[in-house]
Amino acid sequence: MIPCQLPDTGSNQFRETQPLRVGDRDYDSRLFLGTGKFGSYALMREAVEASGTELVTVALRRVHLHEQQDDVIEHLQVPGVHLLPNTSGVRTAKEAVLAAQLARESLQTDWLKLEIHPDPRYLLPDPIETLLATEQLAGEGFQVMAYINADPVLCKRLEEAGAAAVMPLGAPIGTNQGLQTRAMLEIIIEQSHVPVVVDAGIGAPSQAAEAMEMGADAVLVNTAIAVAGDPVAMAQAFRLAVHAGRMAYEARMGVVSKRAEASSPLTAFLGN
Amino acid sequence: MSFLQEFERNGWAAMGERIYGKQGADVERALFRSGRRDLDDFCALVSPAAEPHLEAMAQLSYRLTRKRFGNTTQLYIPLYLSNECHNICTYCGFSVDNRLERLTLDREQLLQEVAQIKAEGFEHILLVTGEAGRKVGVDYFEQVLEWLRPHFASITMEVQALDQAEYERLIRRGLNSVLIYQETYNRDTYKSYHPKGKKGNMAYRLETPDRLGRAGIHRIGLAALLGLEDWRIDSAFVALHLSYLERRYWRTKYSISLPRLRPAAGCQPPNVTVSDRDFVQLICAYRIYNENAEISLSTRESPALRDHLLKLGITSMSAGSKTEPGGYTLQDDALEQFQINDERSPAEVAAMIRAQGFDPVWKDWDMVLES
């Protein structure tokens, strides 16, 4: 697969990056998309296609779970794109578990983005309820991708509880503030044995590239694409940025250092 | 501790001085500052000094709303359960002193109305009544919720103020959100608008959102009735109330409504006029003050105005509304609370929303999310 291709030159291909394994699935694209806030379903679908994503989240609250057909789900039937239902709206582990069970039943998937935010303003995730729900859902065979604050210890606890991936936030959701939690994200990435998906707060392609350069396994973007002046073009821009960031990471970037390193050392005359 | 204590620290006249003393520089500070805006910023934004800044306010309000809510507008519909009422409210068509045929829907009538509403595509419903506690009380509401719960994704109520335990009962039956409008925060005149009935108890009404918050409701809707008292002062009290509630009941969502008085049978005309320009200023002020509150717009407003307001900070709209019990299938406007102003069908309103590049959202909740 050729993840990116410049439309004008056709022949100008980019190097492939390593596929990302989450649970039992491989992804070539490391850009995941949220599907809220788009001006129409048609536009949402176009943006999904343009982004090259293989995983999109869909809020259970928007889906007609008890009916045969649903408009959102139908528009997300894109070849190669998997659905990741999210529990946005629940406030407790108990509510999340019930919602997850219904999602599994009606959408035929074990995959779940676990979002428990009792605070409806900043939508910040509840660490205690998220851990409790992860323990239970992983035990029931769900592939849990847990949205949480950028808390390294919590991420280890979620890993031990059986999460398939952790999704720490870069900044409060929808704020476009970028990687405000950078110092904690670096520790999480360093320590994690499950994929780390930076979720929430990424407002510009450069910020997505930054997360990938740091070694994040993937990023999830929604608002920055959905409410852009041209969501389809922005989806492509994120696609390129995520790919560039990952390539840079795999190419091993030079270490950032505060001290200058002289190209002609002063003590070289001493020999080894 | 309830809002009453905070309310008592803020007099009506003092709030007026806080608003009318604002200058252009205060407005600019409110518009361009970083971080969360405070009540003084809101006072500047609703003050006459903000009038020359209306376009800048509209631009900011538009951007903040898109960032938080996306290019979407939710749709809901009111369903009047009953027009029986024991209160006298000088501005309301259901007032007990109004000669009006009274009706409370039974199960069969209700389900007939529901079938019509569901056929239009609605998933979010607002149940409305007057105040006739013995007949249209918590027992009746429990029944109604049981009948309606299988049909809707979200159920909101706009009924008489209730006790905390009563709200808890209704929440267990699927009640998702409650609108409770203070009408006016002017304690000197409140009683004159509500000369008879339980609604005359201003303190009980002021503390109703506290009882709802303690009961754990998902969403509370606030409003001042536009047309009774100085809208700038009343809306500053709404802003004060909102911020108090947000800090205290942090798990609850909040919405603001903007009910501008409409002609209604047997009612006094509005005391004060709120112009379209004032109305736009108020919507933008609420949005700039609070980026997260939902702002709801009813069919009290005209089609042309609603089409323009869609982008300015509004997050939900009713459509195809009738304001009397049985209005969708049984009656023809004889029992209505007030005249509506936008008579377009829900499909026509949804088409207008799409034509503006927005997604009309019929469903943004699910009962499964609450246990």
Side-chain angles (χ1 to χ4, degrees):
Chain A
M1 160 157 181
I2 303 158
C4 288
Q5 207 165 24
L6 286 181
D8 288 342
T9 57
S11 62
N12 196 348
Q13 294 170 11
F14 293 114
R15 183 190 291 264
E16 283 184 35
T17 54
Q18 294 162 2
L20 165 63
R21 188 164 192 86
V22 187
D24 55 4
R25 268 197 207 143
D26 285 330
Y27 297 95
D28 288 317
S29 166
R30 290 169 180 268
L31 173 59
F32 301 159
L33 241 62
T35 56
K37 300 190 179 181
F38 283 94
S40 71
Y41 291 159
L43 196 57
M44 169 186 78
R45 185 185 171 109
E46 263 189 88
V48 165
E49 288 171 337
S51 73
T53 189
E54 293 160 286
L55 189 66
V56 297
T57 63
V58 59
L60 289 171
R61 58 201 289 170
R62 292 290 303 273
V63 179
H64 292 84
L65 290 165
H66 302 283
E67 290 165 30
Q68 291 294 316
Q69 283 197 318
D70 180 85
D71 257 11
V72 187
I73 301 293
E74 259 172 43
H75 280 84
L76 291 173
Q77 300 297 321
V78 181
V81 176
H82 296 285
L83 279 187
L84 181 65
N86 78 49
T87 58
S88 168
V90 303
R91 301 189 290 186
T92 63
K94 189 178 161 201
E95 291 173 350
V97 168
L98 287 173
Q101 288 162 344
L102 186 70
R104 168 145 79 181
E105 201 177 304
S106 61
L107 299 174
Q108 309 285 311
T109 177
D110 290 334
W111 288 83
L112 185 78
K113 181 181 171 196
L114 181 62
E115 274 187 67
I116 305 179
H117 36 68
D119 151 31
R121 274 167 287 289
Y122 294 100
L123 307 176
L124 293 170
D126 184 323
I128 300 160
E129 299 293 323
T130 303
L131 181 61
L132 290 172
T134 301
E135 280 168 352
Q136 183 170 345
L137 290 168
E140 292 178 19
F142 281 93
Q143 305 280 332
V144 178
M145 300 176 69
Y147 171 59
I148 27 106
N149 214 316
D151 178 337
V153 174
L154 177 61
C155 284
K156 292 309 284 180
R157 293 288 304 268
L158 287 165
E159 188 181 310
E160 288 166 3
V166 290
M167 306 181 81
L169 54 82
I173 194 164
T175 60
N176 295 339
Q177 290 176 19
L179 306 181
Q180 298 292 324
T181 57
R182 168 180 269 280
M184 296 300 129
L185 289 173
E186 283 173 350
I187 299 171
I188 292 167
I189 290 166
E190 178 197 332
Q191 294 184 337
S192 188
H193 283 119
V194 293
V196 178
V197 182
V198 176
D199 183 3
I202 293 180
S206 56
Q207 295 163 354
E210 200 184 339
M212 298 309 294
E213 288 168 7
M214 276 169 63
D217 293 286
V219 295
L220 191 143
V221 181
N222 186 355
T223 304
I225 293 175
V227 304
D230 182 343
V232 178
M234 189 59 82
Q236 268 174 353
F238 269 98
R239 175 186 197 161
L240 294 168
V242 168
H243 193 72
R246 181 65 193 180
M247 274 179 70
Y249 175 76
E250 289 180 13
R252 299 181 60 81
M253 296 198 302
V255 174
V256 178
S257 169
K258 283 189 179 162
R259 282 175 297 184
E261 287 189 21
S263 47
S264 308
L266 298 176
T267 54
F269 70 95
L270 293 172
N272 286 327
Chain B
M1 170 76 189
S2 76
F3 178 63
L4 209 51
Q5 286 84 55
E6 185 143 347
F7 177 70
E8 279 162 1
R9 282 196 295 273
N10 291 273
W12 181 266
M15 191 69 94
E17 283 165 23
R18 219 165 148 180
I19 294 166
Y20 288 97
K22 293 289 187 280
Q23 309 285 321
D26 300 310
V27 180
E28 284 172 19
R29 177 181 180 277
L31 276 173
F32 301 118
R33 68 172 289 179
S34 61
R36 202 178 163 91
R37 288 159 181 101
D38 60 22
L39 191 64
D40 271 303
D41 293 319
F42 182 84
C43 288
L45 293 169
V46 290
S47 74
E51 284 165 9
H53 299 270
L54 192 57
E55 179 58 26
M57 286 175 66
Q59 296 284 349
L60 181 56
S61 178
Y62 171 79
R63 286 203 307 277
L64 293 173
T65 310
R66 300 291 70 80
K67 182 165 76 104
R68 177 66 177 82
F69 297 92
N71 298 327
T72 67
T73 300
Q74 289 191 24
L75 289 168
Y76 72 94
I77 193 163
L79 172 57
Y80 280 67
L81 300 173
S82 170
N83 62 356
E84 298 192 48
C85 194
H86 299 156
N87 291 323
I88 294 180
C89 302
T90 56
Y91 47 80
C92 179
F94 290 171
S95 208
V96 67
D97 55 346
N98 248 344
R99 287 183 162 273
L100 188 72
E101 195 190 321
R102 305 287 170 163
L103 174 68
T104 297
L105 300 184
D106 61 24
R107 180 171 184 275
E108 193 186 335
Q109 292 166 322
L110 188 62
L111 292 179
Q112 193 177 322
E113 294 274 280
V114 164
Q116 174 63 29
I117 285 171
K118 288 288 291 186
E120 310 264 24
F122 287 102
E123 286 283 348
H124 294 190
I125 195 168
L126 166 64
L127 305 177
V128 188
T129 68
E131 175 154 12
R134 210 164 287 169
K135 184 166 177 196
V136 188
V138 183
D139 292 339
Y140 174 74
F141 296 143
E142 272 195 329
Q143 270 286 249
V144 166
L145 288 169
E146 197 180 309
W147 296 331
L148 294 193
R149 189 170 182 166
H151 300 284
F152 293 98
S154 165
I155 302 177
T156 300
M157 270 190 165
E158 186 180 350
V159 305
Q160 68 268 34
L162 299 172
D163 293 336
Q164 181 181 338
E166 294 175 316
Y167 285 129
E168 285 165 359
R169 275 173 66 187
L170 299 179
I171 289 167
R172 279 197 292 275
R173 295 292 177 114
L175 178 64
N176 184 257
S177 121
V178 171
L179 310 185
I180 188 83
Y181 301 161
Q182 187 56 39
E183 321 298 13
T184 181
Y185 288 83
N186 187 339
R187 78 194 79 191
D188 295 332
T189 58
Y190 180 87
K191 189 69 189 170
S192 67
Y193 298 113
H194 309 98
K196 182 175 175 294
K198 287 188 171 172
K199 197 170 174 178
N201 185 343
M202 187 181 189
Y204 186 74
R205 197 159 184 92
L206 275 171
E207 290 185 311
T208 306
D210 281 281
R211 296 195 298 279
L212 279 162
R214 285 195 290 268
I217 192 84
H218 255 266
R219 191 176 63 139
I220 300 173
L222 305 176
L225 202 44
L226 303 173
L228 297 184
E229 293 289 316
D230 185 326
W231 63 272
R232 302 178 202 271
I233 302 178
D234 254 334
S235 55
F237 276 100
V238 173
L240 178 75
H241 205 164
L242 173 65
S243 294
Y244 161 84
L245 292 167
E246 276 192 337
R247 282 194 302 276
R248 197 155 175 91
Y249 309 104
W250 60 275
R251 289 182 174 85
T252 298
K253 253 189 207 184
Y254 297 90
S255 72
I256 294 171
S257 304
L258 307 125
R260 189 156 59 152
L261 273 180
R262 293 281 304 152
C267 294
Q268 294 171 4
N271 295 341
V272 295
T273 308
V274 179
S275 71
D276 285 355
R277 196 161 248 283
D278 297 337
F279 198 67
V280 169
Q281 185 183 350
L282 179 56
I283 291 173
C284 296
Y286 276 136
R287 170 57 66 227
I288 295 167
Y289 175 65
N290 191 310
E291 300 180 16
N292 297 303
E294 296 177 9
I295 301 180
S296 176
L297 188 67
S298 76
T299 54
R300 290 168 183 266
E301 302 304 329
S302 70
L305 185 63
R306 269 161 51 99
D307 293 3
H308 284 107
L309 293 177
L310 177 68
K311 292 191 168 180
L312 286 186
I314 299 302
T315 59
S316 70
M317 273 189 169
S318 52
S321 306
K322 299 286 183 186
T323 68
E324 73 272 18
Y328 299 106
T329 58
L330 305 167
Q331 302 287 341
D332 55 350
D333 301 354
L335 318 180
E336 71 183 7
Q337 188 189 25
F338 59 86
Q339 293 170 19
I340 65 163
N341 203 349
D342 181 349
E343 308 216 356
R344 291 176 293 184
S345 71
E348 286 169 327
V349 172
M352 175 277 289
I353 292 170
R354 277 192 292 270
Q356 297 207 38
F358 277 39
D359 183 19
V361 173
W362 301 88
K363 179 176 184 294
D364 192 37
W365 192 247
D366 200 292
M367 294 286 183
V368 75
L369 300 171
E370 297 169 65
S371 56

